[in-house]
């Protein structure tokens, strides 16, 4: 708590002491004051990155379903960021002097390690439930991983309580698992919702022992014996969406992935093949042990060899020596933007994603510590409402839709003058400008809000 408390009290003493784009200076100054200049840069970097990752979603709001397990590799990337930060924190702790080890543990290592364990546990619990629905053998290993993390969490609290002969004994006693749908604190930590599959049981013969799961979809009625299922034939009709990857184009994403897994007690020997030389698989064959890992296959494209007029749904065949057969559907388009379009954002997979801070023009100030995107957010640098600056971005779309959706993200703000509410304007391709009020009028708020 020392870092956020010092931050708040520093601002309370002098509101201008920490500028919105100078957070790094605050962290470094605090590190130098408390630990000297030796590791100040490294400690400041850990504090800054910790706050950045923790702000994605506060711990008390993280559930097993918070970070997506199937879309955009979100859960993996969040866990990866915590694990990388933990390596830095552990390195700092290992180099700290004996006099400073307890303080480094308390303010640097413990917050990062506790957050890493907590986030990994929630993600593993969510993945355990997903894999169990899909009847994967690996669901059981994830259940054990959750329990191991649960024990590691408590061991970390005990380690904290033993520092300096028990100086801070019981300070980390507050429960942080098992709140469920209430803020009433439980009196003992509890993990619920662990799922197991019967490791020794064969799947229904019509389904077979080999399963395939694709990025972006957990499967159509996963774990069920669907009428259209036949292990010797690929999924068809309404089951096809469950084995269909998102579209790939030369503008992204750079790769897609699918998993090959076992759902029974037998060893599975599988092979995968593609119909074009420019379509590459990271793994083309393997053996699935009932107690081993699933196989993750990444799909990439050599776009130099793809014709511009290519637009097809490519089929990736996955077969096992035991007789199973599945196909992954992959839409691929080779289209290009016109030569006249340069330095802009291009639609991929039905979306155009534009970071607001990208090449922000004069009149705007970049706030690197705000927003979900690593590039930060932007705010108007001047209060001159007579000539407000314009934030313009070039983009190109291939799709034609009658009702395109524009989604804008704003950080927290307050409308202080009810007679002059905050507004913003939108204009596309020289069309009429549309003015929108950022916050609703107080009379438009739901009952109970003010």
């Amino acid at each position: 708590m020392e870092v956020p408390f010092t931050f708040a009290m520093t601002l309370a003493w002098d509101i201008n002491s920490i500028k919105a784009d100078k957070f790094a200076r605050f962290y470094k100054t605090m590190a130098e004051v408390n630990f000297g200049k030796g590791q100040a840069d490294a400690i400041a970097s850990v504090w800054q990155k910790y706050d950045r990752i923790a702000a994605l979603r506060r711990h008390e709001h993280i559930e097993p379903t918070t970070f997506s397990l199937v879309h955009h590799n979100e859960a993996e990337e969040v866990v990866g960021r915590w694990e990388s930060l933990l390596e830095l924190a552990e390195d700092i702790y290992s180099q700290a002097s004996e006099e400073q080890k307890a303080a480094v543990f308390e303010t640097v290592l413990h917050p990062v390690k506790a957050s890493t364990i907590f986030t990994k546990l929630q993600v593993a619990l969510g993945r355990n439930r997903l894999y169990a629905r899909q009847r994967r053998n690996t669901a059981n290993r994830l259940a054990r991983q959750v329990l191991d993390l649960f024990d590691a969490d408590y061991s970390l609290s005990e380690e904290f309580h033993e520092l300096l002969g028990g100086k801070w004994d019981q300070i980390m006693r507050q429960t942080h698992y098992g709140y469920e749908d209430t803020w009433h604190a439980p009196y003992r930590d509890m993990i619920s919702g662990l799922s197991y599959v019967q490791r020794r049981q064969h799947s229904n013969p019509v389904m077979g022992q080999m399963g395939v799961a694709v990025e972006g979809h957990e499967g159509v009625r996963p774990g069920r014996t669907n009428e259209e299922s036949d292990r010797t034939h690929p999924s068809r009709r309404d089951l096809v969406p469950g084995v269909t990857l998102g579209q790939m184009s030369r503008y992204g994403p750079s790769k897609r992935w699918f998993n090959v897994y076992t759902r029974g007690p037998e060893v599975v020997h599988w092979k995968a093949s593609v119909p074009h030389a420019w379509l590459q698989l990271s793994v083309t064959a393997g053996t699935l042990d009932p107690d081993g890992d699933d196989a993750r296959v990444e799909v990439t494209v050599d776009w130099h060899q793809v014709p511009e007029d290519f637009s097809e749904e490519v089929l990736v065949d996955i077969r096992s020596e035991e007789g199973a057969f599945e196909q992954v559907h992959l839409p691929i388009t080779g289209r290009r933007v016109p030569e006249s379009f340069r330095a802009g954002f291009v639609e991929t997979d039905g979306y155009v994603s534009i970071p607001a801070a990208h090449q922000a023009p004069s009149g705007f100030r970049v706030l690197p510590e705000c927003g979900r995107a690593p590039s930060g957010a932007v705010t108007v640098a001047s209060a001159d409402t007579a000539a407000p600056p314009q934030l313009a971005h070039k983009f190109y779309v291939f799709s034609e839709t009658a009702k395109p959706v524009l989604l804008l993200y704003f950080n927290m703000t307050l409308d202080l003058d009810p007679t002059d509410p905050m507004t913003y304007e939108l204009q596309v391709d020289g069309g009429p400008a549309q003015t929108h009020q950022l916050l609703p009028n107080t009379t438009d708020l739901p009952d109970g809000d003010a």
Side-chain angles (χ1 to χ4, degrees):
M1 293 296 294
E2 286 82 354
V3 179
F5 187 77
T6 302
F7 184 90
M9 292 298 100
T10 301
L11 285 177
W13 183 260
D14 180 2
I15 193 63
N16 296 312
S17 60
I18 305 175
K19 301 299 182 182
D21 54 353
K22 302 296 182 184
F23 283 17
R25 183 179 300 172
F26 162 78
Y27 294 120
K28 184 175 181 180
T29 300
M30 183 176 175
E32 289 179 346
V33 169
N34 288 277
F35 299 105
K37 294 186 177 181
Q39 294 202 81
D41 287 337
I43 292 173
S45 177
V46 168
W47 283 343
Q48 186 172 12
K49 291 176 180 177
Y50 173 89
D51 282 352
R52 198 77 169 88
I53 306 174
L56 292 176
R57 182 64 65 91
R58 297 302 179 187
H59 291 12
E60 59 267 28
H61 294 152
I62 295 179
E63 301 290 342
T65 56
T66 297
F67 301 117
S68 178
L69 300 170
V70 296
H71 294 289
H72 312 298
N73 301 317
E74 183 183 34
E76 293 178 10
E77 290 187 3
V78 172
V79 168
R81 290 173 69 179
W82 278 120
E83 289 179 332
S84 296
L85 189 58
L86 179 58
E87 289 182 10
L88 296 177
E90 289 177 331
D91 185 59
I92 292 170
Y93 180 74
S94 67
Q95 297 183 45
S97 65
E98 288 302 318
E99 292 180 345
Q100 292 186 339
K101 273 195 179 299
V104 170
F105 180 93
E106 179 196 1
T107 61
V108 181
L109 179 58
H110 180 271
V112 175
K113 191 169 185 177
S115 298
T116 302
I117 292 173
F118 180 82
T119 305
K120 288 178 66 174
L121 187 151
Q122 296 289 8
V123 170
L125 182 55
R127 200 180 299 278
N128 160 255
R129 295 173 182 175
L130 170 62
Y131 285 10
R133 288 195 298 273
Q134 296 171 334
R135 302 307 190 265
R136 301 195 198 193
N137 285 19
T138 42
N140 295 357
R141 295 179 62 189
L142 283 163
R144 289 190 290 272
Q145 180 183 342
V146 170
L147 295 178
D148 289 342
L149 289 167
F150 194 43
D151 282 340
D153 176 273
Y154 191 72
S155 296
L156 184 63
S157 297
E158 290 182 318
E159 186 177 358
F160 198 116
H161 296 159
E162 293 170 0
L163 288 174
L164 301 178
K167 180 178 181 179
W168 296 302
D169 188 26
Q170 304 304 314
I171 197 171
M172 289 295 164
R173 184 175 181 175
Q174 181 179 358
T175 52
H176 41 281
Y177 295 98
Y179 278 78
E180 297 180 315
D181 59 352
T182 177
W183 277 99
H184 295 288
Y187 52 80
R188 196 180 191 190
D189 283 323
M190 178 270 293
I191 295 295
S192 63
L194 281 176
S195 301
Y196 288 86
V197 298
Q198 178 48 261
R199 154 69 175 78
R200 295 178 295 158
Q201 184 181 26
H202 286 78
S203 290
N204 188 308
V206 75
M207 299 300 297
Q209 311 306 305
M210 184 188 78
V212 175
V214 302
E215 173 189 1
H217 207 296
E218 68 173 60
V220 177
R221 298 183 294 277
R224 302 295 191 268
T225 304
N226 297 298
E227 291 184 2
E228 300 297 335
S229 299
D230 183 344
R231 72 179 182 88
T232 63
H233 294 76
S235 297
R236 51 196 184 275
R237 297 188 179 91
D238 70 322
L239 302 182
V240 170
V243 287
T244 300
L245 288 166
Q247 186 185 75
M248 294 188 72
S249 78
R250 61 182 77 247
Y251 303 105
S254 61
K255 60 186 177 182
R256 297 288 191 185
W257 58 264
F258 62 88
N259 286 339
V260 185
Y261 59 90
T262 180
R263 50 193 179 198
E266 297 179 353
V267 174
V268 174
H269 306 83
W270 64 274
K271 291 183 179 180
S273 59
V274 294
H276 302 286
W278 43 259
L279 191 61
Q280 292 127 15
L281 304 179
S282 60
V283 185
T284 57
T287 300
L288 298 173
D289 185 273
D291 296 314
D293 294 325
D294 300 335
R296 175 160 170 155
V297 182
E298 295 183 343
V299 186
T300 55
V301 177
D302 182 357
W303 292 107
H304 296 292
Q305 300 184 41
V306 181
E308 291 186 25
D309 60 351
F310 186 89
S311 181
E312 295 181 13
E313 187 172 87
V314 176
L315 298 178
V316 180
D317 290 349
I318 303 102
R319 301 174 185 269
S320 77
E321 294 180 5
E322 293 72 31
F325 179 29
E326 185 57 277
Q327 287 181 322
V328 170
H329 298 242
L330 175 59
I332 296 179
T333 176
R335 62 194 177 189
R336 294 179 182 270
V337 297
E339 287 290 334
S340 58
F341 182 81
R342 298 179 182 276
F345 296 89
V346 181
E347 173 195 343
T348 60
D349 199 18
Y351 299 89
V352 180
S353 180
I354 303 175
H358 178 76
Q359 297 180 349
S362 60
F364 288 91
R365 182 172 58 166
V366 175
L367 304 177
E369 304 300 326
C370 294
R372 187 180 180 88
S375 58
V378 293
T379 186
V380 177
S382 172
D384 182 10
T385 58
Q390 294 183 345
L391 195 62
H393 296 287
K394 293 178 62 178
F395 65 94
Y396 189 92
V397 295
F398 297 100
S399 304
E400 294 184 6
T401 177
K403 294 183 178 181
V405 176
L406 176 63
L407 182 61
L408 302 174
Y409 289 93
F410 292 93
N411 288 314
M412 291 184 294
T413 187
L414 292 174
D415 236 341
L416 299 178
D417 186 354
T419 65
D420 185 22
M422 287 185 286
T423 61
Y424 62 93
E425 287 187 347
L426 296 176
Q427 187 177 22
V428 179
D429 286 346
Q434 301 178 13
T435 302
H436 301 268
Q437 187 170 319
L438 183 58
L439 299 174
N441 295 321
T442 54
T443 56
D444 298 333
L445 294 175
D447 293 340
D449 291 355

